[in-house]
Amino acid sequence: MLVFERFRPRRHADDPERVLELRIHGIKNTPPAEMLEREVDDITRDRGDDLGGFWRERASAAPDGVRREAYSWGALARSDGGALAGIGQLVVHVGWFLLLPFGLVNVAYWTRRIPDQGDPHVWEGGHGSGYVRAFGLGLTLLYVMALGTVSIELVGVQCYRASGLCAGLPEQFAALVGIPRATRLAIFAAVPLAGVLVLYLLSARARARYEASVALMTAAQTSGLSWPVLATRGFWSRSRVTGGIERLHVAATAFLLAAMLAWDQLFSNFPQCDSPERFFSPDCLSTGPLASNPWTTACLVVAALGLCLVVLLVVPGTPGRGLLARRRSSLWMLVGSLVVLLGTAVATSIAGRAIAAVSSPFLGLVSTPGNLIGILLVLAISALGWRRGVPPVLSATLVGIVIAVPFSRYFLVDAFPLGAEEPWVYVAIAGIALWVQVAVAVIPRHTHRRPREGWSGAGPGVVLLLALGIAMALSTVLVVGIAAWLSRPNASGIPSPTLQVPGVWADFALWFLVIVVLFVVGVAVVLARHLVGYPGVTTPTVDEIPGYERYALASYSSGGPARIPVAEPPPPRVLVARRTAGILHRAEPVLGTLSAFFGVALALTAAPDLKKIFAGGPGAAVNSIVEQAPDVALAVLAAIAAAAFAAVAANALTTKERPIGLLWDLICFLPRAGHPFGPPCYSERVVPEVNRRIREWMSPAGSSPKRYVILSAHSLGAVLATACIFALRGQGDVPMGRVGLITYGVQLRPYFGRFFPELFGAEVMGTRPCAGPSLIASDPWLAQVREDEQAPAARPRTDSLADILRSGGSDPAWVNLWRRTDFLGFPAASYREGNGVDHGASELDLRTYLPTIATHGHHPLTPQYQAALREVLCRLGVAASPKVARGRPGRER
């Protein structure tokens, strides 16, 4: 008979509570009362505020000598809205959706190779950090172009083309009918600038709510040692986007708007200059548009030079090097950009009085979005090879070729043999260079051993492609949705002017829907394959349930997992849960496929004049489809935009939490480094706050006996707990031999360790490396299970997590619980039983009358948790070692 009981450590007469068990929740955002297994009235907040803090039982002392506290941090990653209501709250929620790509840019920054930090006062970003910052600036400008398309092109140009205004505009907009086009466009150019300021204020306000209370961790650090990155001093208290980069993004916005206004004013009155291919042709330049208005021309030149200067200032934005000078320069750049924008608005308004009304589109947005998308796409593709050994010089050269070739057709209209009327020449040349760029990122996979890294070492590029694809999708939904709203009939039933969605947004709408359909079909095919039968997978040993063993395998001794027939009566629910968890474990290859689809859609969107390639001859049928398909795509996307807006509005009226809160938990745990408008990093408060509590517990006034701390962390909380331990080790003021760790439902090894190798990789953690999941195999981790079963145990390097937690014994004071029914839980060290860290947790919850399936939660309520607590305490030397069978926590002999 198995006996599980709560372990009671030795108690000292003067200090009845020698052990602090500090529980940290994960992405489930478990309430403090549930973490402490108490009713709400039985707990109280010991310290903290509404965003985060420590909770404990109201009882003065725990009867078993272990003081239990719960640290709640969920509101740090999800709370926002404040006192705003109605429209203000709706704007905030829409803004948080738009901030999502900025958060992914920050994630991409940390997926690169992070070099060891020698100087604690200077952050060394390493190769690719400048690319990431440039990419982030490009995303900001992409949003500026989307907002400019709505306010300037759709409203300022198309809604004032006919005699009647768009039905979606208030009556006050009728006052702008009689003013010159240039003046009207200058007024509407304030909308994109205001939109960028809203995104900046939204992010800054969220940061200010808790970052101001973060204490700097300035304890002494021993020099001359190779510390893990997370153990470097000040890691969680040092910004990587300092130097006024926020101001530089706003300055770039103002410069871009000034350049687009000036460009439109100079060329819109000349029909021979109304297409991108003819801007620099002799026919256009001979008419003298640049010489006809020297003030506007000067504004254009200054704005273009200012934008280039901003890029040069953003790229090398490494803290600690010329920080004060860069801050001053960013302030002057911001002031100068606003002056240039105001001067351009005045100059174009004065010049526009003498120009007759024109019906051409806003020329500043005719080719700019497509060119920017092409540049960002090339940067993202170049990032595929950053971790795979692609030389930076080769990568930069290919990036330059792909960017320069499409732009060359604007300047070499007569020099090229086929001229600008044959765009396939440019598409072919740029396409070849683009595929070479993809090839050099893929070839290292076949010339070297497969890396144990996310997406086979292509993580930075994959994340940047996802960021660009999502940003473009959000921008397109915004443009198409507002165009449909403005085109609706007015209250009297009189139809509004039909608005034409500009080409780049209409093209992406088509390709976006195509990739969505293909992606959904592909996922459905894979899903259907894995829904046939039930794979018999290896499971950790948990044998307190009679008859349970027949659904578990000890190892894959013969081939792979054998499928359990559906006809076997009855198929237990645990098999269904394991199969479902296995399907969800394939997220990595699914996201990689989605990024590839995004890349293809973006390439087709950025290709110049793609439709002309199919015009005439045998391509006429294809051209007909290409011409008609966007209308269908725009109608479908307009319906999607309406449904999305309704969902966001409903959420804004019912809650003040950020939308898609789960994503903020996942992408906001590392400091902002790639984009200054990215969502704030909650770890910058969590890690110092938890470590302060640990130090307070271990060194109380007037207490002589040794005190111990056990961090009990669930899911993403284990990432935070790991960061806390490394930070404590780096500070050097806490005896690490009295710190233990219990984790459960964690993704440290297969996800965080693979996506961020320098932060949570196998060498840093002291565990075996992990390969990625298979999209096809019945068990997605089949290859890794086989490798772990045959390979010897890992030898932790000095100052790895396993080494830090080793208190003189052979096994570290760390136990991890996992189960196969957990869709987000994995072993932390190895699938091989008896590795000293990983133990099984029950897959059935027997606390209820009818047993339920245990998945990603409620680990502390299992008997295995109490056995894990006892094991960790014994490894810390708090009590005599219990008689526990190896690999079977809690089994009494």
Side-chain angles (χ1 to χ4, degrees), residues 17-33:
E17 294 178 334
R18 296 181 58 197
V19 178
L20 172 64
E21 180 189 348
L22 182 57
R23 299 183 178 182
I24 306 173
H25 67 75
I27 58 176
K28 189 182 177 184
N29 203 8
T30 308

Side-chain angles (χ1 to χ4, degrees), residues 11 34 153 229 262 321 405 464 467 489 544 547 597 673 677 688 723 822:
R11 302 176 66 175
E34 185 175 339
E153 170 62 26
V229 176
R321 301 187 187 276
V405 169
L464 289 181
E544 78 272 16
F597 281 150
F677 298 169
D822 189 345

Side-chain angles (χ1 to χ4, degrees), residues 651-669:
N651 185 70
L653 294 175
T654 57
T655 179
K656 290 187 180 296
E657 284 192 358
R658 303 177 197 173
I660 52 176
L662 177 62
L663 285 179
W664 305 120
D665 291 347
L666 295 174
I667 69 177
C668 300
F669 73 95

Side-chain angles (χ1 to χ4, degrees), residues 368-635:
T368 314
N371 294 333
L372 179 61
I373 292 170
I375 294 173
L376 294 178
L377 177 61
V378 173
L379 289 177
I381 292 177
S382 70
L384 293 172
W386 288 352
R387 298 193 65 93
R388 303 174 63 85
V390 177
V393 175
L394 176 60
S395 179
T397 302
L398 292 172
V399 168
I401 292 175
V402 179
I403 293 176
V405 169
F407 279 100
S408 66
R409 69 194 189 102
Y410 299 151
F411 302 92
L412 304 175
V413 175
D414 295 329
F416 254 75
L418 296 178
E421 299 302 324
E422 298 293 342
W424 66 268
V425 176
Y426 306 92
V427 175
I429 297 175
I432 292 173
L434 190 65
W435 281 113
V436 171
Q437 177 71 51
V438 175
V440 298
V442 174
I443 288 175
R445 177 177 180 178
H446 302 285
T447 58
H448 301 284
R449 186 173 181 268
R450 183 186 179 189
R452 295 296 194 254
E453 298 174 357
W455 296 290
S456 296
V462 170
V463 178
L464 289 181
L465 284 172
L466 290 174
L468 179 57
I470 293 174
M472 192 61 188
L474 292 173
S475 301
T476 303
V477 168
L478 177 69
V479 172
V480 173
I482 293 181
W485 179 66
L486 293 173
S487 301
R488 75 186 194 280
N490 57 26
S492 304
I494 300 176
S496 296
T498 302
L499 304 184
Q500 298 294 327
V501 177
V504 65
W505 312 107
D507 291 342
F508 185 78
L510 170 62
W511 299 120
F512 176 67
L513 291 180
V514 170
I515 67 169
V516 167
V517 172
L518 293 177
F519 180 73
V520 171
V521 171
V523 170
V525 171
V526 174
L527 184 64
R529 182 184 185 278
H530 293 295
L531 287 178
V532 178
Y534 302 92
V537 297
T538 58
T539 61
T541 303
V542 179
D543 56 358
E544 78 272 16
I545 304 173
Y548 188 75
E549 296 83 353
R550 66 190 182 107
Y551 303 116
L553 294 178
S555 65
Y556 291 138
S557 56
S558 58
R563 292 190 175 274
I564 300 176
V566 180
E568 180 178 330
R573 289 176 298 163
V574 68
L575 297 182
V576 178
R578 288 181 188 171
R579 183 180 64 184
T580 303
I583 292 174
L584 296 178
H585 286 178
R586 293 170 169 85
E588 180 184 334
V590 169
L591 288 178
T593 303
L594 179 60
S595 70
F597 281 150
F598 269 137
V600 173
L602 291 165
L604 294 173
T605 301
D609 299 323
L610 183 65
K611 297 176 184 178
K612 292 182 181 179
I613 300 176
F614 300 105
V622 178
N623 180 59
S624 177
I625 297 175
V626 173
E627 290 288 349
Q628 299 177 10
D631 295 334
V632 179
L634 291 176

